[in-house]
């Protein structure tokens, strides 16, 4: 299986903008906290070229790596706040009140 790199052209503009913010944020926080690139790479189990792509905010970097970097840097809650329960729980009042939605009826395709 060949790894497919995602082109920035295939991502929504808002996503690319967020990544271009996240990348420099990772670098700035790493430098301000006196964490070397080598140390952050070791903590995230990634290569130096991957860290360089991350710090440039490239779309080819898995978003999970960005979140892991934010966690290591102690800023996950600020960079990616926890979602409200109603957005992810199927038994939330918002989901229960949807007309015509039956138990297990979440396959829309």
């Amino acid at each position: 299986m060949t790894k497919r790199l995602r082109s920035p052209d295939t991502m929504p503009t808002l996503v690319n903008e967020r990544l271009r913010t996240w990348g420099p944020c990772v670098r700035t926080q790493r430098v301000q906290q006196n964490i070397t690139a080598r140390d952050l790479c070791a903590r995230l189990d990634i290569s130096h070229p991957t860290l360089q792509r991350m710090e440039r905010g490239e779309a080819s970097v898995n978003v999970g790596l960005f979140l892991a970097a934010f966690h290591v840097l102690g800023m996950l809650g600020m960079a990616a706040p926890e979602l409200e329960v109603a957005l992810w729980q199927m038994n939330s009042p918002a989901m229960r009140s949807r007309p015509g939605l039956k138990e297990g009826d979440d396959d829309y395709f």
Side-chain angles (χ1 to χ4, degrees):
M1 184 169 147
T2 304
K3 185 175 180 179
R4 195 179 91 190
L5 296 180
R6 188 165 302 280
S7 164
D9 299 336
T10 65
M11 293 292 223
T13 302
L14 185 58
V15 171
N16 280 320
E17 288 174 3
R18 187 67 46 94
L19 291 173
R20 283 193 301 268
T21 301
W22 281 7
C25 181
V26 169
R27 177 169 170 68
T28 299
Q29 291 303 309
R30 177 179 66 75
V31 170
Q32 285 183 350
Q33 295 180 35
N34 296 316
I35 299 172
T36 65
R38 177 178 284 182
D39 187 31
L40 187 56
C41 287
R43 290 183 189 186
L44 297 174
D45 193 26
I46 61 174
S47 67
H48 190 259
T50 298
L51 178 61
Q52 289 175 316
R53 288 194 327 274
M54 178 188 293
E55 290 183 346
R56 286 192 300 263
E58 292 185 13
S60 64
V61 177
N62 182 311
V63 71
L65 289 177
F66 278 102
L67 296 176
F70 292 143
H71 176 71
V72 166
L73 296 167
M75 51 178 289
L76 179 61
M78 289 183 289
E82 191 171 329
L83 295 174
E84 293 181 32
V85 173
L87 294 174
W88 57 272
Q89 278 193 344
M90 293 298 286
N91 64 355
S92 70
M95 287 300 291
R96 283 194 303 264
S97 67
R98 290 191 54 194
L101 186 64
K102 298 177 183 72
E103 184 71 29
D105 187 18
D106 59 358
D107 188 9
Y108 294 105
F109 298 102

